[in-house]
Amino acid sequence: MKRTGAQTVWECLVREGVKTIFGYPGGAILPTYDAMLDYPIHHVLVRHEQGATHMADGYARASGKVGAAIATSGPGATNMVTGIATAMMDSSPIVCITGQVGSKAIGSDAFQETDVTGVTLPVTKHNYLVTRAEDIARTIREAFYIAASGRPGPVLVDITKDAQQSSCEFDWEAAAPQLPGYRPNLRALPEEFQKALDLINNAKRPLILAGHGILMSGARKQVLEFAERAQVPIAMTLLGLGAIPASHPLNLGMMGMHGEAWVNNAIQQADLLLAFGMRFDDRVTGNIKTYALNAKKIHIEIDPSEINKNVKVDVGIVGDLRETLDELLPGVKSADHSEWIDHINEMKGDTAVRDIQSLPDSGHLYAAHVINDIWHYTSGKAIVVSDVGQHQMWEAQYYKHDDERSLITSGGLGTMGFALPAAIGAKFACPDKEVWVVAGDGGFQMTMAELATIAQENLKINIAIINNGYLGMVRQWQEFFYEKRYAATPMLSPDFVKLADAFDIKGVRVTKRSEVQVAVEEARAHPGTVIMDFRVEQEDSVFPMVPAGADLQAMIRRPKRDVMAETGADESEWDLGATK
């Protein structure tokens, strides 16, 4: 059947299962927008193209499907770059379609012309410039296949305006992906399995490092079977949270810069690390030269370029984690590592007296209290989309994620402004789920224009702004490492309650711990979106903290005296290099 290039775009998207697309129209993509009206795909009009990519990303992470975004050429396309880079760093499958000036005008500096394939080359898994209608169907099919297969990631398809306007025969079957040079389904060699099994079955202090790859491959069942049979405790990366239930007795919690002290110490004392779908990010390892020196290391990873990239391993197994564990599990023997597990549990004892949750209600409102109460009153069942900063780490520490895909956050790129638009995408992916945004006052203001999108789409999202009047994490670094010289971190914010009112959204302000429960419960009961402005303690810090580049066990801990008396602590109380 004959179709214009613009119609072909939608014919393909419908067949790829796209039900919602996030975008912003403009001149070079207008033919495609005009054709959109004849197809059953819901278009969400964003307020900035960065928001469209974060929404597609949030949709992908919440659903496990490919997210889709669309924009025009020039600034429309370049506005997408931050969202594309965010998806790239966290291996999130999205397809971005952009309009381009007519093919004959390319290179002439035409109005709103940008070489977006050149711009996005380093931050896409693959990208295309399409100048003929005949190539659109094949390209879009390839884009979806590449985005979702192997190590997932973003793909951009840039289509010239004349390609959208011209016509050709549309043949879906004939456009099936043919990529002989693309081999995403690599498999490990049998001798690598045997090497791994020898290490696993002889380990005395083994530890699983559980990453995002568990979620991406759907390997929760296999990882739990492995851990329970061999009695191996599990440490989580930030993006791995929720992959294994937080309430599982072998789940130790988060590792790394702001991970639990006992987790980091266990890593340093382990004799075998099993890295499952994680990439040894610098926020996880600290100083590479002193990282887990006593441990043999097995790395199971779908992307061969990650093996030995940051940490040299003893056995590197390339392949899909779920399939690899299915092959490995028959050789894993039952084991008793109770002595090792008891030792880790003993290391937890010291943390309890440092925990901010132990503080009595002194009239101060702490972010940890807010996060913990949101977890408690949502019964841990919400999808929480956190932004980037201190609140992101408190969310990871105090919201206990039992369910898969219940935490969505920008881990690799650390994109402030991610949470609000990504939550919109998550809500479209899971309309029956309770969706919460946890954002700081700084990050929220980066993309708060998307409140208009929420209002226009009549969405129900609960937004918790952890408002401390600072760019909190930067302030914390200035406090710890720059002698409290707070350069450009105190932040004046708008009245968020009045802002909510401007968008016809309910707004609530909370200044006391005793008011948190009422606010959370009112927000959950309210049929529409609610913005909660939590005015928290301004100069609280995230503990523990491994300074950038420091040894993993060299953690800055919350002073014990601070926990017991709340006030009076000074830097001399910091427990550098503590073993607990």
Side-chain angles (χ1 to χ4, degrees):
M1 54 185 170
K2 205 90 168 175
R3 289 287 185 269
T4 66
Q7 290 171 322
T8 300
V9 169
W10 298 109
E11 293 281 358
C12 292
L13 292 178
V14 168
R15 285 167 173 77
E16 292 290 352
V18 175
K19 292 182 168 41
T20 305
I21 192 166
F22 308 94
Y24 203 101
I29 197 69
L30 266 186
T32 297
Y33 264 87
D34 181 66
M36 178 183 74
L37 297 176
D38 298 324
Y39 290 88
I41 292 180
H42 179 64
H43 177 268
V44 177
L45 178 62
V46 303
R47 297 305 186 265
H48 191 283
E49 292 86 349
Q50 179 187 349
T53 50
H54 290 327
M55 290 177 203
D57 191 345
Y59 182 97
R61 299 195 204 204
S63 68
K65 302 174 183 175
V66 177
I70 186 168
T72 191
S73 63
T78 57
N79 282 346
M80 297 178 115
V81 172
T82 298
I84 293 171
T86 304
M88 184 70 179
M89 289 289 281
D90 290 348
S91 306
S92 186
I94 65 172
V95 170
C96 297
I97 295 171
T98 50
Q100 182 57 276
V101 300
S103 55
K104 292 181 179 177
I106 289 177
S108 69
D109 291 338
F111 178 67
Q112 292 193 331
E113 180 195 359
T114 297
D115 175 11
V116 70
T117 53
V119 169
T120 60
L121 185 63
V123 294
T124 49
K125 187 176 177 183
H126 197 55
N127 64 23
Y128 297 87
L129 170 62
V130 183
T131 59
R132 304 189 319 148
E134 291 83 351
D135 295 330
I136 291 176
R138 174 186 58 80
T139 304
I140 291 179
R141 290 200 68 176
E142 287 183 4
F144 275 79
Y145 175 65
I146 292 171
S149 57
R151 180 177 181 172
V155 179
L156 180 135
V157 180
D158 193 33
I159 308 174
T160 60
K161 192 168 185 177
D162 53 320
Q164 300 169 50
Q165 293 167 321
S166 57
S167 300
C168 66
E169 283 295 321
F170 173 72
D171 186 339
W172 173 254
E173 297 301 330
Q178 296 182 7
L179 296 162
Y182 178 59
R183 293 175 293 171
N185 300 315
L186 298 173
R187 299 177 70 84
L189 300 173
E191 54 265 34
E192 292 170 335
F193 282 104
Q194 192 54 55
K195 288 181 186 175
L197 287 171
D198 289 343
L199 291 176
I200 293 165
N201 292 327
N202 290 296
K204 303 297 182 188
R205 300 186 303 281
L207 194 69
I208 292 172
L209 309 180
H212 197 197
I214 298 173
L215 290 163
M216 306 300 283
S217 67
R220 168 187 273 210
K221 174 177 171 290
Q222 286 76 7
V223 174
L224 283 175
E225 185 177 344
F226 184 109
E228 290 169 356
R229 184 187 304 171
Q231 284 299 289
V232 182
I234 308 168
M236 311 296 296
T237 69
L238 173 64
L239 291 182
L241 295 176
I244 302 300
S247 56
H248 192 284
L250 289 173
N251 189 333
L252 301 180
M254 190 170 69
M255 67 182 102
M257 178 175 279
H258 294 293
E260 301 288 0
W262 66 78
V263 181
N264 289 339
N265 285 319
I267 290 171
Q268 295 298 73
Q269 295 172 27
D271 68 353
L272 176 66
L273 294 183
L274 296 141
F276 288 170
M278 55 85 72
R279 59 187 179 87
F280 290 109
D281 178 79
D282 63 289
R283 286 292 196 266
V284 161
T285 63
N287 183 3
I288 291 288
K289 293 181 179 177
T290 60
Y291 179 71
L293 296 178
N294 300 318
K296 298 286 186 182
K297 301 172 184 72
I298 299 171
H299 192 181
I300 303 177
E301 166 60 44
I302 199 166
D303 184 349
S305 70
E306 292 292 345
I307 304 290
N308 291 321
K309 186 176 83 174
N310 294 328
V311 171
K312 183 172 175 53
V313 298
D314 297 278
V315 180
I317 298 178
V318 177
D320 175 82
L321 180 62
R322 179 169 52 83
E323 295 174 359
T324 301
L325 288 178
D326 277 337
E327 292 190 47
L328 197 63
L329 273 167
V332 176
K333 297 178 182 176
S334 297
D336 179 6
H337 293 120
S338 55
E339 186 175 341
W340 167 233
I341 294 170
D342 288 345
H343 173 65
I344 295 173
N345 287 332
E346 286 175 8
M347 291 194 288
K348 294 180 181 179
D350 176 70
T351 298
V353 297
R354 298 173 186 267
D355 193 337
I356 196 170
Q357 292 296 330
S358 302
L359 282 171
D361 185 357
S362 60
H364 296 274
L365 180 60
Y366 288 91
H369 295 153
V370 175
I371 303 296
N372 192 71
D373 281 0
I374 292 173
W375 166 70
H376 179 74
Y377 294 112
T378 59
S379 301
K381 294 298 181 185
I383 294 176
V384 181
V385 188
S386 65
D387 213 77
V388 172
Q390 286 182 310
H391 65 277
Q392 180 187 32
M393 295 299 111
W394 281 313
E395 197 285 338
Q397 293 174 339
Y398 291 100
Y399 197 102
K400 308 302 181 187
H401 291 275
D402 277 345
D403 296 335
E404 295 178 276
R405 301 185 182 280
S406 62
L407 170 61
I408 295 173
T409 194
S410 171
L413 196 64
T415 306
M416 291 178 65
F418 171 82
L420 184 64
I424 294 172
K427 189 64 181 177
F428 274 102
C430 304
D432 297 329
K433 284 269 192 177
E434 183 174 347
V435 176
W436 279 72
V437 169
V438 174
D441 44 325
F444 182 76
Q445 291 184 65
M446 284 191 169
T447 54
M448 66 183 182
E450 302 304 342
L451 288 172
T453 306
I454 287 176
Q456 184 163 339
E457 294 291 334
N458 194 29
L459 298 177
K460 164 60 178 171
I461 297 173
N462 292 322
I463 302 168
I465 301 174
I466 309 300
N467 185 355
N468 59 11
Y470 281 104
L471 297 176
M473 189 61 88
V474 186
R475 183 213 62 76
Q476 177 172 330
W477 282 51
Q478 290 171 332
E479 177 187 344
F480 286 10
F481 312 118
Y482 293 87
E483 300 177 336
K484 296 188 177 183
R485 290 162 59 86
Y486 294 161
T489 45
M491 169 165 277
L492 177 65
S493 295
D495 185 323
F496 291 119
V497 175
K498 289 183 178 178
L499 182 73
D501 186 58
F503 289 101
D504 198 22
I505 292 172
K506 181 179 174 66
V508 178
R509 181 169 294 112
V510 178
T511 60
K512 299 177 182 176
R513 187 175 182 182
S514 59
E515 297 170 346
V516 176
Q517 177 183 351
V518 174
V520 171
E521 291 183 338
E522 280 188 359
R524 298 186 71 215
H526 185 71
T529 288
V530 178
I531 294 177
M532 285 150 281
D533 178 16
F534 292 101
R535 298 289 182 88
V536 300
E537 187 73 7
Q538 287 194 294
E539 296 187 56
D540 191 19
S541 296
V542 182
F543 294 103
M545 178 181 185
V546 179
D551 299 346
L552 193 59
Q553 72 274 19
M555 288 162 278
I556 300 173
R557 307 289 303 278
R558 183 181 292 278
K560 290 181 181 178
R561 196 175 75 197
D562 192 40
V563 173
M564 301 306 292
E566 189 181 2
T567 59
D570 56 42
E571 294 178 14
S572 65
E573 293 288 320
W574 288 342
D575 193 359
L576 283 166
T579 58
K580 291 185 177 181

